[in-house]
């Protein structure tokens, strides 16, 4: 994918499994993701919302990130408040990102499967968390 922002732009259905590797607990998230212009330069707002099922409880869940495209087709991903999260380079169709969060380490693997589907796997390890989050994104028709 020569341009990460162009590839991700639009609306996606999201299915995510969440595994707590310490306790064995499992949950899932189902919802939508949208990458849309945020009105500031050429950045895209990445907003997800849906339902998280965890421990027998179903709750609304959402998150917002910002994707700042670069001229070479890569992008910088930021949290909604502007703090840096990770780089994103899908030019080979696959990218590994690392983000330290306090004493925990997030390692994400992004895979562009087709023009209309991609996967994201986050492995989180450290004193606070030991989790595996696996997401599948499918472009809405």
């Amino acid at each position: 994918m020569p341009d990460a922002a162009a590839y991700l732009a639009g609306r996606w259905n999201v299915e995510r499994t969440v595994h707590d590797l310490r306790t064995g607990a499992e949950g899932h998230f189902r919802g939508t993701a949208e990458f849309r212009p945020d009105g500031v330069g050429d950045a895209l707002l990445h907003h997800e919302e849906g339902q998280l099922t965890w421990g027998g409880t179903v709750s609304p869940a959402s998150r917002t990130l910002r994707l700042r495209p670069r001229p070479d087709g890569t992008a910088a991903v930021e949290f909604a408040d502007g703090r840096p999260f990770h780089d994103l380079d899908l030019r080979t169709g696959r990218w590994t990102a690392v983000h330290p969060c306090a004493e925990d380490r997030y390692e994400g693997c992004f895979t562009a499967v087709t023009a209309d589907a991609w996967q994201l796997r986050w492995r989180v390890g450290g004193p606070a968390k030991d989790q595996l989050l696996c997401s599948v994104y499918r472009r809405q028709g």
Side-chain angles (χ1 to χ4, degrees):
M1 302 297 157
D3 184 329
Y7 172 66
L8 294 171
R11 290 184 54 85
W12 302 81
N13 292 320
V14 184
E15 291 190 26
R16 177 176 300 125
T17 57
V18 182
H19 303 275
D20 186 314
L21 302 174
R22 277 196 193 123
T23 66
E26 294 188 6
H28 64 271
F29 170 87
R30 285 197 177 95
T32 60
E34 184 175 16
F35 291 81
R36 66 179 183 269
D38 78 347
V40 180
D42 56 356
L44 293 178
L45 202 60
H46 168 191
H47 182 71
E48 291 186 10
E49 62 184 339
Q51 299 290 318
L52 175 66
T53 302
W54 186 260
T57 302
V58 178
S59 305
S62 66
R63 74 172 180 172
T64 301
L65 301 170
R66 185 167 284 108
L67 194 80
R68 295 202 181 275
R70 298 181 181 127
D72 63 359
T74 66
V77 180
E78 302 172 346
F79 292 103
D81 63 8
R83 290 177 297 127
F85 188 10
H86 61 81
D87 290 330
L88 183 60
D89 181 351
L90 292 176
R91 293 176 293 186
T92 65
R94 188 174 173 91
W95 179 251
T96 299
V98 174
H99 174 74
C101 182
E103 294 182 34
D104 292 336
R105 172 185 166 97
Y106 286 65
E107 185 170 323
C109 182
F110 295 76
T111 305
V113 179
T114 68
D116 296 320
W118 59 284
Q119 298 174 351
L120 173 56
R121 180 183 182 270
W122 283 106
R123 174 67 172 89
V124 186
K129 293 181 182 175
D130 191 7
Q131 296 179 333
L132 180 62
L133 296 87
C134 299
S135 303
V136 176
Y137 293 76
R138 290 184 178 86
R139 192 177 300 279
Q140 290 185 355

